[in-house]
Each structure stands twice: as structure tokens, then as C-alpha cells.
Amino acid sequence: MNDTTYRWWQSGIIYQIYPRSYQDSNADGIGDLRGIRRRLDYLRSLGVDAIWLSPIYPSPMHDFGYDVADYRDVDPRFGTLDEMERLIDEMHARGLKLILDLVPNHSSSDHPFFVESRSRRDNPKRDWYIWRDPAPDGGPPNNWLSFFGGPAWTYDESSGQYYLHQFVTQQPELNYRNPEVLAWMLDNMRFWLDRGVDGFRVDVIWLMMKDPAFRDEPEDPDWDGVNPHNRLKHLYTADLPEVHELIRQMRATLDAYDDRVMIGEIYLPNDRLMTYYGEALDETHMPYNFQLIDAPWQAQTVKRLVEQYEADLLEGAWPNWVLGNHDQHRMASRVGAAQARVANMLLLTLRGTPTSYYGEEIGMVDGEIPPEFVQDPPAVNQPEIAHIVGRDPERTPMQWNSTANAGFSPSGATTWLPVAADYSERNVAQQEQEPTSMLQLYRTLTRLRRAESALSVGDYMAVDAELPTELYAYRRQGQGGDDDFLVVLNFGGAAHTVDLSREGQRATIAVATSLQRWGAVALAALTVGPNEGLLLRLAAVHQ
Ligand code: GLC
């Protein structure tokens, strides 16, 4: 592979750590930076290139760190700024990059600027947040809704106005129509870029601008009646054209540094998502692509969306794929245990940067959260739909071994969320011992992806063959004489024998999801087992 052509965030693999849940080093039941530092050799052994850390800033934790009270420090529960610098250095020494979560849309209500802003109407920081007079009836200024239940407005008695928050009440939204706010946020970015962080995953970047006229949002006639936030069409709180200028300025700030990355969290359909690369590719390097999370797990659906995404990408825009994150039910729970290996093979063989969520490498499933342990605000606020909107289940502690607390916290400590029930059978230590475990599969796939240009940066090519509907096959093309690969994924529970001879006569199994099949196969009659994925090496054609 030509390393000068592809940046690390293109050829590499990103691994997301939710710091509260990865490794507790001081027995307080909450993960921390020192704990992560202890696990760097493990991270290295996974074959990932970059770690994205969910927020580590000082926070009252109403939204577990996505409510930031100081953008330039570390919460004492997680460590200190010195500990952070040490983590950055030790990661860099191992060739790992560090991506921080930047949360520019809102701060914590404990942030000193919001405390000032709410103190008086004529405070200079008043206009840094979004304040509006009550409606004539004294109610909220318009019908905007919080993602976490209820109105997006909270009344402040002392100053007689409402402030906007699309998440919890304690997450007031910053006003990016005031240029001082962006200038300050760019300084916050520089603070971390100067300390060597390799980039940012930018939280809810598509929400940063709101309608200046504060118009009511229309009802969505297609609402399914489940999540009240989806009752409205978010025409005036999301994806406003003005947001792109903000993003360009953020990107320019980042580009003043060498080789950093900016990834945007954006939940939008493809046509809108693509605009976040920027017309001149001058916005986010990668707008996160969440389609594998949202789509039904069926071969034909996944094939269609992969090929549509490939077709929709702008010239020069780099693709990416995500199976799970701290806001979504776990991949292994969504697709089922039998398909979790196929899902990992898909993620690690598609064209585009993969992002894995911690625990996906061992097939962690959603934890059961007894009602008295429920902590996530959308679940607390909306108990009737907690099982749908609650995010605690996907945030349970990392399962390291079969000792009490799964090796996340010392036994005797009380973990902030209960460890998932299956930890004694599903954990890193056990999968290290087992030659055919999911962990070994994950490492085998990352090793091959790193070694083979076809897999890390090669083109995606559709496979044109009559296949049973449960199968999805595609080809990755090697660069400059490197081998091609053929991926054949069985999304169903029946075996199939198929003719893929148009792709070549013979191939070798480079990786089977079972880790139990190897060797040469004839493509004219290729058998794919139930729930099996095969990654096949096709010998390079030398002209
Ligand atoms: C993003 C985060 C989510 C958080 C929300 C508000 O969607 O991923 O965890 O609750 O923004 O910051």
C-alpha cells in the first residue's frame, strides 16, 4: 500500500471506548484513564489503529459526560490532565491515535458561561445560549421537542425566559449565531490539538444551527407512535444550511495541524449525509454512516444499502461503516448471536473506515438493567419506552475475565452499571484461550485487513451472480498487483452451494467466520455453511 496516498484514518480501524465502562483502576466502579492505559497492549493486540474516547471532561454527568462543564480539563472520576497527556504519549508510543469526543452543540448547565448567561438578561454571556420569551400563554416559545422526552425548553424563573436544550435540561444549547461562541469552541479544539490529540468525533454536529425565526416544527404524518421525539419533522432544529459554514471553520482549524481527523455524528439519509463532506471536501473527513445499525439484517437489504452508499459518495469522499455505539443496542443483540461473526466480517471487509464499539470483538450483548439501576435520561424520563430508547444496556462494563465484576472493577466494588449476566462465559480471558473465539476472528480479520491493500483501501466491486437471497457477495480489488479478495456472507441459517466461477476458478479461504475452514476451494461449487462468512483470496492476475 502506498502510505503517502492514504491517511491513517482511511486505511485504519477505529475502536470506540466508553470510558466509564472500560476499566476501573481505583475501585470506584467507574472506568478511568489509568484503566485504559493499562489496556493499551490489549488494544494494540486487536489490530486497531485509533481509539475514540467518549467525553472525559469535567461534568455533572447528567448525560454521562455529554454535558461538559469545562472543555479544557479532565473529570476527576476519569483522571487528570497529566494522566490524559500520559495516555496520549503512551498511545502514540504504540502507534495508536487518539480521537476525542467534542461536544460543541451544548454545554453543561454547570458551565461557568451558562451560570453567567442565566444570571441576568444583560449579562454579556446571555447571548451565548438560546433564550426566548415565553409564548403568550406563558408556555414554551414553540413546539420543539427534546430527544430525551418532553419540550426542548426549560423556563428560568429568575430571568423570566426559556432556554433551549434538545437533550436533558442540564444541556443548554450554545448559540452559534453569535460568532464569539464559535471562536471559543475553536480555541477549545486547539487546546487539545496542541496536546497531541489526533482528531475529534464531533457530537450532534448536524444540530448546531437552529431556525432564526424559531418556527414550530410540523407533525410527521408517518410517525409510528413510538418515540415522541419523532412526532415532529425536524426542519428547524437540524441540518440547517448555515451549519456547513461552522463545520468548514472547524475543519480549517484542524487543518492547521498535521494529519488530524474530524468525524461528524450525523443521523441523516444518504443524500443529506453526503453534504457533510463539504462540496470541496472541506467539512468533516467522515460523516458517520450508521446504515448498518438502522437496516434490517438481511443480505439483500445490506447489499442494496452498501451499493447505494458507494454510488452516492462524492468523488474523493472516503467511506466509513459503523456497527454499534454507546447510543444503540449492541450489534450482537440486534443481529443475534449466530450472525455476530458475519457482522464483524462485513464491517472489517467493506471499503471504508470501520468503527468498532468496545466489546463487539467478543460479541458482547445488551445487559439486562433492573428498573432500580436504570440511569440513562431518555429511559428515566420515558419509562414506557425505556426498553427502546434506554442506552444503559449497551454501556455495561467491559467483560475482561470471569472474576466478580468481570475484571472491570475489583471484586467488592459496586460497578456503575451491572455487569452483563453472560460475563463468566463471554470475556476476553476466555476468548484468548479459545482458538476459534470471536476475539480470535476479530484479530485474524484486522491482521489481514492491515496486511492487504485490497481490504484496507481497495475498490469495492459488486458480484454479479445468481445467488440465494440469503447470501451477499462482493469483491475487494488489490492495488498494484496485490491479491483480490472475495467476501461471501450467509445471512441465513441454511447452507448453500453456489457458483461464483465468474470471479475465478479457485480461491483460498483466508478467513472463515468459524476459524475452522481453510485451504483451497473451487468457486464453481462453493459451499457456504449456515450463518457463515468466507473471506477468499483470489490470486492476483499478473498481466
Ligand atoms: C450524541 C451522543 C449521545 C448524547 C447526545 C447529547 O448523540 O452520542 O450519547 O446523549 O449526543 O450530547
Side-chain angles (χ1 to χ4, degrees), residues 100-323:
L100 279 193
D101 213 311
L102 181 75
V103 191
N105 179 65
H106 41 268
S107 74
S108 160
S109 51
D110 286 3
H111 194 287
F113 291 168
F114 186 72
V115 173
E116 276 193 55
S117 182
R118 85 188 311 174
S119 67
R120 294 172 63 96
R121 285 201 193 196
D122 59 3
N123 184 282
K125 288 285 183 307
R126 184 71 169 181
D127 185 46
W128 279 45
Y129 291 85
I130 301 176
W131 292 96
R132 302 288 290 168
D133 286 333
D137 67 357
N142 64 22
N143 72 348
W144 295 355
L145 294 172
S146 160
F147 279 84
F148 292 169
W153 297 97
T154 287
Y155 187 61
D156 177 55
E157 290 283 346
S158 64
S159 63
Q161 284 189 311
Y162 283 84
Y163 66 86
L164 181 71
H165 55 87
Q166 295 192 73
F167 296 92
V168 290
T169 311
Q170 297 89 349
Q171 285 168 307
E173 308 232 345
L174 286 151
N175 175 18
Y176 283 93
R177 300 209 179 253
N178 177 339
E180 290 172 14
V181 176
L182 181 64
W184 167 69
M185 196 51 71
L186 300 181
D187 279 344
N188 292 333
M189 291 173 67
R190 291 185 191 102
F191 176 88
W192 291 106
L193 293 167
D194 287 340
R195 275 160 186 76
V197 310
D198 299 286
F200 299 102
R201 170 269 189 190
V202 186
D203 193 64
V204 298
I205 201 167
W206 87 113
L207 305 183
M208 287 175 70
M209 280 290 195
K210 344 295 159 186
D211 179 36
F214 293 91
R215 281 169 283 184
D216 276 351
E217 291 189 324
E219 301 275 333
D220 185 343
D222 299 327
W223 182 45
D224 61 7
V226 180
N227 185 343
H229 186 259
N230 300 337
R231 183 168 64 75
L232 301 181
K233 288 179 128 173
H234 301 297
L235 302 185
Y236 302 127
T237 51
D239 194 27
L240 268 74
E242 302 93 301
V243 81
H244 295 282
E245 178 52 27
L246 295 183
I247 301 175
R248 278 193 290 275
Q249 294 199 44
M250 293 168 83
R251 171 65 182 273
T253 302
L254 193 102
D255 282 350
Y257 295 76
D258 186 27
D259 209 14
R260 314 291 167 107
V261 71
M262 189 162 111
I263 305 170
E265 184 205 18
I266 300 154
Y267 285 90
L268 286 175
N270 269 359
D271 57 332
R272 301 303 314 148
L273 187 71
M274 296 303 168
T275 65
Y276 287 78
Y277 283 104
E279 270 170 38
L281 298 183
D282 54 356
E283 297 186 28
T284 66
H285 290 103
M286 294 188 286
Y288 257 148
N289 167 17
F290 298 124
Q291 297 179 82
L292 293 179
I293 294 177
D294 295 335
W297 194 252
Q298 294 158 355
Q300 296 315 307
T301 312
V302 172
K303 174 182 165 71
R304 203 178 326 111
L305 71 85
V306 169
E307 291 175 2
Q308 189 61 52
Y309 177 77
E310 281 280 344
D312 288 346
L313 277 171
L314 313 177
E315 178 75 34
W318 188 255
N320 77 87
W321 296 97
V322 182
L323 278 183

